[in-house]
């Protein structure tokens, strides 16, 4: 014997400390993952807003050129009508409520 003795209480305390350390590590990892996801979703929103503003500016610039230099009424109709069609399509898709009916039978999820 080397004189090293460990009681069952000390073993349980050591296992408890290891469990607490593991729990703290996992909680920190989850918190970091949630913060990273929040940052990504915020960046996605900023990127989307930038693309929307750029495209809107492009459409307005083309419309401005066609209105400022009058020519064919069909060209005016196309320049004003096509963006309105795209916008109405996007708004209709965004505001349409769809439901997904799933059956709990059959064992599939």
């Amino acid at each position: 014997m080397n004189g090293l003795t460990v009681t069952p209480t000390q073993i349980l305390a050591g296992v408890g400390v290891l469990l607490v350390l593991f729990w703290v590590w996992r909680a920190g990892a989850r918190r970091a993952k949630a913060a990273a996801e929040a940052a990504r979703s915020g960046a996605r929103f900023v990127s989307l807003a930038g693309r929307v503003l750029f495209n809107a500016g492009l459409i307005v610039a083309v419309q401005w050129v066609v209105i400022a230099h009058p020519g064919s009424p069909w060209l005016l109709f196309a320049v004003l009508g096509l963006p309105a069609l795209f916008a109405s399509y996007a708004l209709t898709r965004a505001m349409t409520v769809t439901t997904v009916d799933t059956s709990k039978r059959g064992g599939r999820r």
Side-chain angles (χ1 to χ4, degrees), residues 4 7 18 20 40 48 61 79 82 88-89 99-100 108:
L4 181 65
T7 65
L18 288 176
V20 167
R40 271 194 300 272
L48 176 64
V79 167
L82 281 175
S88 65
Y89 175 76
T99 60
V100 177
R108 282 195 254 159

Side-chain angles (χ1 to χ4, degrees), residues 18-32:
L18 288 176
L19 284 175
V20 167
L21 286 174
F22 179 73
W23 178 72
V24 168
W25 175 70
R26 292 277 299 171
R30 273 191 226 124
R31 200 173 303 124

Side-chain angles (χ1 to χ4, degrees), residues 4-90:
L4 181 65
T5 57
V6 180
T7 65
T9 306
Q10 291 172 332
I11 292 174
L12 284 176
V15 169
V17 167
L18 288 176
L19 284 175
V20 167
L21 286 174
F22 179 73
W23 178 72
V24 168
W25 175 70
R26 292 277 299 171
R30 273 191 226 124
R31 200 173 303 124
K33 185 176 179 181
E37 181 61 32
R40 271 194 300 272
S41 67
R44 273 188 237 132
F45 175 73
V46 171
S47 175
L48 176 64
R51 285 181 285 177
V52 167
L53 289 175
F54 175 77
N55 287 332
L58 187 65
I59 290 170
V60 168
V62 170
Q63 288 175 339
W64 182 265
V65 167
V66 170
I67 292 171
H69 303 290
S72 169
W74 288 107
L75 182 62
L76 182 65
F77 176 73
V79 167
L80 295 176
L82 281 175
L85 285 175
F86 287 125
S88 65
Y89 175 76

